[in-house]
Amino acid sequence: MRVCVLGAGVVGLTSAYQLARDGHDVTILEGRDGAALETSFANGGQLSYSYVAPLADPSVLPHLPAWLLQRDSALRFVPRLDVQQWRWCLSFLLACRGSRARQTAMEMLQLGALSRDALHELVQREAIDFNYVRNGKLVVYRDAQAFDAARRKMAYLAAAGSDQRALDAAACVALEPALERAQPLLAGGIHTPSEEAGDCYTFGVALAGLLQARYGVAIHYATPVESMIIEAAEAVAARTPHGEIRADAFVVALGNGSAPLLRTLGVRLPMYPLTGYSLTLPGTPGHAPRVSVTDLHRKVVYAPLGERLRIAGMVEIAGMSVAQRERRLALLRRQAQEIFPDAGDYAVAETWCGHRPATPDSKPLLGATPYRNLWLNTGHGALGFTLACGSARVIADAIAGRTPPLDLGAYSWQR
Ligand SMILES: Cc1cc2nc3c(=O)[nH]c(=O)nc-3n(C[C@H](O)[C@H](O)[C@H](O)COP(=O)(O)OP(=O)(O)OC[C@H]3O[C@@H](n4cnc5c(N)ncnc54)[C@H](O)[C@@H]3O)c2cc1C
């Protein structure tokens, strides 16, 4: 079958990989000049299969006033005259109900486990270098109450197959010596040895090269998809400035470009961009962490990428605006220096701002659309790198007519 994947971010590229391995004739259309240049470019680098719980959870409700009022809050809501923003926020609040959040967390753990297996198979089969490490993750807590609550949740994660250990502050430092100067700030941490890290951009570029060289996939860069041509409830072609690209099936993996394209077809995807920021430091050996670390109090993640250190954080519900960029990056730099003061030269850090293509309940949108051969693989929010390989497998199964290993209804755009 001829399958056309729209978008060459990590989700589109992994989709193309699974489809090519199924023997399809695959073409990718990408608006930018290369692979993984949008949200997949400089994200947190964590492959965090056990930490996939949704942002929408009853525990966020007491924090809402701070989001609205404090300029330096990790999570910020910047109200706009934008119906989509308000609709998304309302759905987010509804997704905070306890029973729904628990159900979502279980479903996401299943997709996380599938993604880990699929990525492991990929790295075993293909020689692909992306600073990939199975280095484990340490989530550190500054507040004893929050640490206790996390310890209570361990049993629930263990039931879902996660191997975790609770560590006091000294044990955190023993595990990750780069935390030494932060020890007085810490109440403790939870270590998950099975978590991993890698450079999503390098992964995307290497995968794009592999797809072209080994799997005969055609990638058309600088080819924005303007619209879809539909005949008798089927997609027949993607319209681009360079002409129409025809195929038997299409996969929409356009990240933040997905909702605008689908809107032209009368389909309203529940997605909104959540802005975040990252710094990339040339790490200082011995002083930069080798374990992935999440500072839960600040909601900042740290991942070693070879000799570099990736630092990422902040969630802003502010549309595609980058008005706060410099101020928020300065805040991120200060917060990182608080916990890893000697990790590297902060003055020369590379800076980046990206927009997570997020659904209100954090679950991606996978599966069918009202158009028989037009499929969705989008809306991965804060976890697109982590969940890409499993999502790709699910969508390849659906296109091949195989029963996917999870309930697609739970990922429907109409759920
Ligand atoms: C600060 C930050 C930290 C993060 N940290 C992590 C992390 O640690 N771990 C993790 O798993 N995830 C993380 N994420 C999330 C992750 O980066 C995203 O979920 C993921 O990159 C989404 O991939 P994607 O392929 O769906 O979207 P994208 O990477 O944005 O790809 C979509 C592609 O479609 C193209 N496109 C859009 N519209 C069109 C069009 N009309 N025609 C043609 N092409 C088009 C774009 O150019 C783009 O290349 C983070 C995100 C941010 C912002």
Side-chain angles (χ1 to χ4, degrees):
M1 204 194 301
R2 284 174 311 163
V3 185
C4 182
V5 176
L6 312 184
V10 69
V11 173
L13 292 162
T14 47
S15 302
Y17 177 74
Q18 285 299 335
L19 290 161
R21 284 205 52 83
D22 274 356
H24 298 299
D25 172 5
V26 182
T27 299
I28 302 179
L29 305 182
E30 165 56 50
R32 300 283 302 255
D33 292 337
L37 288 173
E38 279 289 323
T39 318
S40 304
F41 184 64
N43 64 23
Q46 292 197 351
L47 291 159
S48 192
Y49 313 106
S50 300
Y51 284 90
V52 289
L55 182 61
D57 180 272
S59 65
V60 304
L61 296 174
H63 299 290
L64 289 181
W67 292 9
L68 283 166
L69 300 171
Q70 289 174 13
R71 272 163 61 93
D72 282 352
S73 157
L75 304 157
R76 268 198 88 211
F77 173 61
V78 183
R80 294 161 57 96
L81 282 175
D82 175 357
V83 151
Q84 284 166 56
Q85 185 194 43
W86 288 90
R87 193 180 283 133
W88 190 94
C89 288
L90 191 61
S91 302
F92 175 85
L93 291 176
L94 291 173
C96 285
R97 277 170 304 160
S99 56
R100 179 138 173 232
R102 270 193 305 280
Q103 172 69 21
T104 299
M106 290 314 292
E107 287 160 353
M108 294 284 271
L109 280 169
Q110 206 188 353
L111 183 57
L114 180 67
S115 298
R116 180 178 50 218
D117 293 348
L119 180 67
H120 286 183
E121 273 181 41
L122 189 154
V123 293
Q124 219 165 9
R125 189 181 301 121
E126 319 288 355
I128 154 168
D129 181 9
F130 59 105
N131 296 128
Y132 172 61
V133 279
R134 297 184 180 175
N135 59 338
K137 164 161 155 168
L138 179 64
V139 179
V140 294
Y141 297 82
R142 302 190 186 199
D143 168 45
Q145 255 185 331
F147 181 41
D148 282 344
R151 270 196 291 205
R152 285 195 295 276
K153 274 195 185 157
M154 277 173 60
Y156 153 80
L157 278 172
S162 282
D163 169 26
Q164 297 191 317
R165 282 184 304 151
L167 307 177
D168 63 17
C172 289
V173 176
L175 177 77
E176 179 43 76
L179 281 168
E180 189 178 4
R181 286 182 57 189
Q183 185 171 340
L185 297 174
L186 306 183
I190 307 278
H191 181 222
T192 313
S194 56
E195 306 291 66
E196 307 171 346
D199 185 334
C200 188
Y201 170 68
T202 315
F203 176 76
V205 170
L207 188 54
L210 180 88
L211 287 169
Q212 290 167 309
R214 183 160 173 193
Y215 290 94
V217 172
I219 308 186
H220 300 287
Y221 293 118
T223 304
V225 177
E226 296 166 336
S227 59
M228 298 302 298
I229 300 172
I230 304 285
E231 285 172 12
E234 268 192 32
V236 291
R239 192 179 282 120
T240 81
H242 313 304
E244 294 172 3
I245 311 286
R246 301 182 84 82
D248 304 307
F250 295 83
V251 178
V252 178
L254 295 170
N256 289 309
S258 306
L261 183 72
L262 270 285
R263 210 173 301 133
T264 65
L265 301 176
V267 176
R268 199 167 64 207
L269 299 184
M271 287 173 65
Y272 198 74
L274 299 185
T275 308
Y277 302 88
S278 78
L279 303 169
T280 308
L281 298 190
T284 306
H287 295 285
R290 304 314 301 160
V291 173
S292 296
V293 173
T294 296
D295 176 1
L296 204 81
H297 180 75
R298 297 286 188 215
K299 305 220 171 357
V300 177
V301 302
Y302 301 83
L305 303 178
E307 296 310 311
R308 298 166 300 147
L309 177 65
R310 176 66 48 74
I311 302 165
M314 317 271 172
V315 177
E316 279 168 14
I317 310 174
M320 296 296 277
S321 162
V322 290
Q324 299 295 316
R325 184 186 160 114
E326 293 316 315
R327 209 176 56 77
R328 298 291 271 176
L329 282 164
L331 176 63
L332 184 61
R333 195 177 281 119
R334 283 199 304 279
Q335 293 179 336
Q337 281 174 313
E338 221 173 63
I339 183 155
F340 291 120
D342 308 316
D345 185 353
Y346 284 87
V348 298
E350 288 167 35
T351 60
W352 178 74
C353 167
H355 304 278
R356 304 168 183 91
T359 61
D361 64 5
S362 297
K363 272 194 296 186
L365 308 174
L366 309 177
T369 67
Y371 303 94
R372 192 192 57 79
N373 59 344
L374 182 67
W375 300 88
L376 294 175
N377 188 4
T378 190
H380 293 73
L383 288 163
F385 189 22
T386 304
L387 301 178
C389 289
S391 304
R393 193 162 273 190
V394 168
I395 211 67
D397 281 347
I399 290 174
R402 296 185 296 259
T403 306
L406 43 78
D407 171 21
L408 265 186
Y411 296 88
S412 155
W413 65 281
Q414 287 175 303
R415 58 184 176 253

